[in-house]
Amino acid sequence: MPDHLALQPGQRVSIPFGRQSAMGLVVETGVEPPAGIELKSVYSTPEPWPALPPETFRLLSWASDYYQHPLGECLFTALPPALRRGRPAAEKPDTWWRAAGLPEALSANAHRQKALLTWLRERPAGAPVSAIVAAGFTREQIRTLHQKALVEECAASGKAPDPASPTPGPTLSPAQQAAADQIPGPDGGFSASLLFGITGSGKTELYLHYLKQQLDDTSQALVLVPEINLTPQMVARFRRYFGHRIVVWHSALNDGERLSTWLKIRNGEPVILIGTRSAVLLPFTHLKTIIVDEEHDSSYKQGEGFRYSGRDVAVYRAHLNQCPVILGSATPSLESYHNALSGKYRLIRLEERAGNARPPTISLLDIRSRPLEGGLSRPTLQAIEKCLAAGQQALVFVNRRGFAPVMMCFDCGHMVECPRCDTRLTYHRRDRAMRCHHCDYQTAATEHCPKCQSEAFKPVGQGTERTEDILAAQFPDTPVVRVDRDSTQRKGSIQGILKKVNTGEPCILVGTQMLAKGHDFPNVTLVVVVNADGGLFSIDFRAPEQLIQTLLQVSGRAGRGEKPGHVLVQTCHSDHPILKSLCQGHYLTLADQLLAERESGQFPPFRAMAIFRAEADTMANSLALLDTLKPKASVTGIEVWGPLPALIARRADRHRAQLVLCCDNRKRLNQVLAHLCQDLDQQKLPSGLKWMIDVDPQETG
Ligand code: ADP
Ligand code: ZN
Ligand code: ZN
């Protein structure tokens, strides 16, 4: 470290790396090099302050340790790509635009351009690009207007105008107020609250009031959400309350937007950040509150590389930072609920719907001996018909996209499998394709059995496309709107697709889990679950929990407005205890049952768990690596299961196996994992053999 540089941990430095230079981060200073090691000198530092301030740095070091992931990768995850590449930590100034023409100059169908021009005309001093984008317009629209000479660049004039003028929301109901009063404010230091609020109980409204009341003008707050693109209404609601203070963080931001938001946070601007998982790693300096919405959602857990849980890191961060964290959900994870029962978290219950809405009624419809029309029973179709006739909307939940999960030959029994995975191909009729949902393989669909050429080659089971077709045929005068990964990818955004639904006119929504997430459709009064049985008999110990959460979340889309809602669940196991309890609609009662099962099996959250996974060109190689690990892992206090092939043993031609470690004591497990990882790091493995570690795994198959 050259004398003229006063370096601190978390600071970016340019260092010699081989014959080139690279961007690095200072981890520690004042360390004596080991004997016989000669050190090269740091070249320079791009800024005299640490890109990662002390608290963020400590958080990342902890996470590296806890998740057994290399520190360097953890630290760099917290930097925006521009800073990783060594670019200066400064923003290009925002260009300001103002109107230079009249909306009448535009053609009648240029609605968005007209809207933008009108918006600018209401702001004579102009607005910076960031505010224009925040108001819901695109850069492309600015460019087009510029080409038509209808807008012009102008000088920045002080503070950017708010994208929308703040409007106060409804006052909290007595139940909401009572819940809000139980949540400690930032002055009380660390606290963790689990807000159990049934669907439609007004949790979002409660967050807004809490932040309005508790945050002073200098504080920062973080609101984690599972997926922003699925719920843009939520961001809009926050903007109506807080205007400019709201900034967002998600994977669709470009590098410039990322850097700009990152700098605001690092500079301590009093922002309220709404972001997905990785937002929890950002360099806040005045963080006073963390909210984790839909805390049960599995997308908080990163599935590859640095496999952290955004929710769990959020709780640790609140602890480091001595501020409150609020975990909100209508279907809390068993982990969080267990923490609430054991007194680690405060349990706050909000069990009334907001406004005049009532919780929906749920009933099971046994379909064992009923004739089905594309998976839908007569009574189900009648219920949909009645709902539409009353001028309301129905939502049909199918848990698989595509047309049918499999194509089968009724002569020879052949089913088409993925050549690269141990799975079957899903038939997508819209594109006449057979696709693997586990790798990117696809092939053209055929009309005959590829094996025996029989014409009795037919789709089996239900996918969203097939249900859409059946419903369109049954209800020819009603729009059917499909929402799944395929339809949202094609049409660009979920907003466009949902336009029809938002008019409130009778229609049928068909879709996957995507529909379960936080949407507010006031005119949906009927929810149909086509088949509830998928998770009932899975070998994954988390499957029943996830099934219940999904079913209650989809059910929660019914009856959010004035009219009562009803949920029809089709099943072949109407006497299954889980489904019977579901009809009572009391999540915590179900959660108690599920926790009892977890306890008797000694599964998380009653013990800590980690999984070593191996993948190689052959199963033998994968298993062999884990076999060498097993005796080293089998030490006092650790229970080891496996090694066993993964549930989908071959995926994209890689053969996967796993070794599960369980322990009563987290610290002990962490020590053993550290030791095992070190050991693996030092081994020279055959090429193509890879291992990874997953601490607190969400997927255990
Ligand atoms: P959640 O996040 O629990 O699903 P929301 O906050 O989205 O619930 O509220 C559900 C619906 O109830 C929304 O349409 C919201 O505007 C409305 N709402 C929430 N709180 C109130 C209130 N105090 N008075 C009237 N309407 C409310
Ligand atoms: Zn055949
Ligand atoms: Zn495949």
Side-chain angles (χ1 to χ4, degrees):
M1 188 168 109
D3 289 339
H4 66 278
L5 294 179
L7 298 175
Q8 313 164 53
Q11 196 166 341
R12 291 199 299 163
V13 280
S14 165
I15 51 158
F17 191 76
R19 280 193 212 157
Q20 290 159 341
S21 71
M23 191 48 58
L25 279 163
V26 177
V27 169
E28 223 179 321
T29 56
V31 187
E32 281 300 315
I37 300 275
E38 197 189 317
L39 295 184
K40 291 187 181 177
S41 197
V42 166
Y43 287 147
S44 61
T45 177
E47 59 266 328
W49 40 271
L52 300 176
E55 188 250 337
T56 309
F57 188 84
R58 273 171 62 199
L59 178 79
L60 293 162
S61 307
W62 169 83
S64 157
D65 211 47
Y66 184 88
Y67 292 104
Q68 303 293 336
H69 197 70
L71 179 60
E73 283 186 27
C74 297
L75 296 177
F76 272 78
T77 308
L79 290 182
L83 297 193
R84 283 178 223 163
R85 287 198 302 267
R87 295 246 304 274
E91 217 182 330
K92 277 198 247 140
D94 223 356
T95 317
W96 281 59
W97 295 93
R98 71 172 170 224
L102 295 171
E104 286 70 45
L106 285 160
S107 68
N109 56 10
H111 300 294
R112 290 308 291 165
Q113 290 172 37
K114 262 197 180 138
L116 170 53
L117 194 50
T118 310
W119 188 88
L120 279 173
R121 289 179 58 80
E122 287 161 6
R123 290 159 179 79
V129 174
S130 56
I132 298 174
V133 170
F137 302 102
T138 65
R139 290 186 159 75
E140 185 57 35
Q141 286 155 358
I142 307 175
R143 256 195 303 280
T144 315
L145 287 179
H146 187 215
Q147 276 158 13
K148 296 178 182 163
L150 293 171
V151 297
E152 63 193 10
E153 274 188 42
C154 64
S157 64
K159 231 173 128 38
D162 254 315
S165 40
T167 43
T171 46
L172 293 186
S173 69
Q176 281 169 316
Q177 191 60 53
D181 290 344
Q182 292 173 60
I183 307 175
D187 295 336
F190 171 71
S191 66
S193 307
L194 177 61
L195 173 63
F196 164 64
I198 62 169
T199 53
S201 60
K203 293 184 288 297
T204 312
E205 207 60 48
L206 192 155
Y207 303 150
L208 289 164
H209 279 256
Y210 178 88
L211 292 173
K212 193 108 204 157
Q213 213 154 51
Q214 302 283 359
L215 283 193
D216 59 29
D217 294 345
T218 60
S219 306
Q220 298 176 323
L222 166 64
V223 181
L224 286 179
V225 294
E227 269 160 289
I228 282 190
N229 298 327
L230 294 183
T231 50
Q233 310 101 304
M234 179 162 181
V235 177
R237 264 169 92 181
F238 272 79
R239 283 223 163 94
R240 276 201 295 279
Y241 260 76
F242 294 104
H244 270 315
R245 244 183 128 167
I246 301 300
V247 287
V248 295
W249 184 264
H250 54 83
S251 58
L253 297 184
N254 66 30
D255 285 3
E257 292 163 333
R258 258 169 221 275
L259 180 60
S260 154
T261 303
W262 189 93
L263 285 168
K264 282 197 179 107
I265 291 164
R266 177 65 187 87
N267 292 336
E269 288 182 31
V271 297
I272 298 172
L273 181 89
I274 305 180
T276 49
R277 187 174 61 218
S278 63
V280 75
L281 307 175
L282 291 171
F284 293 93
T285 57
H286 288 78
L287 188 57
K288 286 289 151 61
T289 297
I290 306 179
I291 294 171
V292 184
D293 192 31
E294 310 291 357
E295 66 89 29
H296 65 279
D297 198 288
S298 57
S299 65
Y300 281 123
K301 174 84 173 171
Q302 170 123 320
E304 50 195 36
F306 178 18
R307 291 175 168 75
Y308 65 99
S309 151
R311 175 196 66 212
D312 296 347
V313 174
V315 174
Y316 189 80
R317 182 157 206 173
H319 178 73
L320 258 187
N321 209 38
Q322 288 297 301
C323 76
V325 56
I326 304 167
L327 308 174
S329 175
T331 54
S333 64
L334 294 183
E335 277 78 5
S336 298
Y337 180 47
H338 179 64
N339 281 332
L341 291 179
S342 70
K344 266 169 91 177
Y345 299 171
R346 198 180 284 251
L347 180 63
I348 295 165
R349 302 164 71 134
L350 182 54
E351 292 174 280
E352 284 173 21
R353 276 197 163 176
N356 295 321
R358 296 283 140 266
T361 52
I362 305 179
S363 50
L364 301 179
L365 186 68
D366 203 300
I367 50 171
R368 257 173 294 192
S369 54
R370 287 181 193 274
L372 298 181
E373 197 122 6
L376 298 170
S377 71
R378 252 302 100 203
T380 306
L381 288 168
Q382 282 161 356
I384 296 176
E385 192 172 347
K386 211 172 123 207
C387 164
L388 296 172
Q392 296 158 8
Q393 300 173 329
L395 184 158
V396 179
F397 171 72
V398 189
N399 50 15
R400 167 126 25 188
R401 68 198 162 91
F403 189 80
V406 57
M407 288 291 284
M408 188 170 104
C409 173
F410 283 75
D411 277 332
C412 77
H414 179 67
M415 291 186 262
V416 186
E417 293 181 348
C418 175
R420 310 176 58 210
C421 307
D422 291 336
T423 53
R424 301 194 176 117
L425 297 180
T426 302
Y427 175 44
H428 289 246
R429 193 160 83 179
R430 303 276 179 284
D431 316 322
R432 292 196 182 78
M434 309 274 289
R435 287 207 186 104
C436 175
H437 287 188
H438 298 276
C439 72
D440 53 7
Y441 180 83
Q442 69 167 0
T443 178
T446 55
E447 294 190 0
H448 304 269
C449 168
K451 202 165 164 200
C452 76
Q453 307 307 319
S454 161
E455 285 180 22
F457 186 54
K458 299 208 174 93
V460 179
Q462 296 312 313
T464 44
E465 290 182 357
R466 189 177 206 181
T467 309
E468 181 189 16
D469 285 1
I470 297 290
L471 290 167
Q474 292 279 336
F475 304 100
D477 303 324
T478 308
V480 179
V481 181
R482 178 164 58 94
V483 180
D484 57 24
R485 186 132 45 95
D486 300 322
S487 74
T488 47
Q489 245 162 29
R490 199 157 314 143
K491 302 247 172 85
S493 82
I494 194 161
Q495 275 324 78
I497 296 177
L498 292 181
K499 245 188 209 142
K500 238 179 228 142
V501 186
N502 292 334
T503 62
E505 294 291 305
C507 73
I508 308 174
L509 270 156
V510 178
T512 55
Q513 264 87 334
M514 272 193 177
L515 281 178
K517 298 199 174 179
H519 298 286
D520 206 14
F521 306 124
N523 209 23
V524 168
T525 56
L526 175 69
V527 166
V528 171
V529 176
V530 171
N531 186 338
D533 302 343
L536 286 178
F537 305 102
S538 164
I539 61 157
D540 183 347
F541 73 89
R542 290 192 198 275
E545 177 190 359
Q546 281 159 1
L547 172 73
I548 293 294
Q549 288 168 341
T550 306
L551 291 181
L552 280 175
Q553 293 286 348
V554 207
S555 303
R557 302 312 117 205
R560 292 169 73 90
E562 298 284 321
K563 291 150 250 161
H566 186 62
V567 184
L568 258 185
V569 181
Q570 298 196 143
T571 171
C572 292
H573 303 278
S574 58
D575 41 8
H576 196 289
I578 284 191
L579 292 182
K580 278 165 91 175
S581 314
L582 177 78
C583 294
Q584 260 87 62
H586 293 155
Y587 178 74
L588 293 190
T589 313
L590 277 156
D592 286 329
Q593 288 172 19
L594 295 176
L595 269 180
E597 281 171 28
R598 294 272 190 96
E599 185 164 23
S600 70
Q602 282 298 294
F603 283 112
F606 296 92
R607 285 202 293 185
M609 183 184 268
I611 298 187
F612 276 98
R613 302 180 204 276
E615 53 170 72
D617 302 335
T618 65
M619 183 53 78
N621 282 352
S622 290
L623 289 171
L625 177 72
L626 297 178
D627 273 329
T628 64
L629 207 59
K630 182 165 185 167
K632 296 174 201 162
S634 308
V635 294
T636 321
I638 308 280
E639 189 178 329
V640 185
W641 306 334
L644 280 174
L647 201 55
I648 298 174
R650 187 174 50 111
R651 203 165 183 167
D653 273 332
R654 305 279 292 159
H655 296 259
R656 309 150 69 231
Q658 59 187 42
L659 188 75
V660 179
L661 277 64
C662 290
C663 184
D664 285 340
N665 183 317
R666 256 184 198 294
K667 274 220 175 80
R668 171 81 182 136
L669 180 63
N670 181 266
Q671 283 164 359
V672 174
L673 294 179
H675 183 75
L676 294 171
C677 288
Q678 214 172 28
D679 191 76
L680 280 167
D681 275 333
Q682 279 158 7
Q683 282 184 42
K684 175 115 182 64
L685 300 178
S687 74
L689 179 57
K690 274 206 188 116
W691 65 274
M692 41 240 139
I693 167 109
D694 192 350
V695 178
D696 303 335
Q698 278 295 306
E699 282 172 40
T700 54

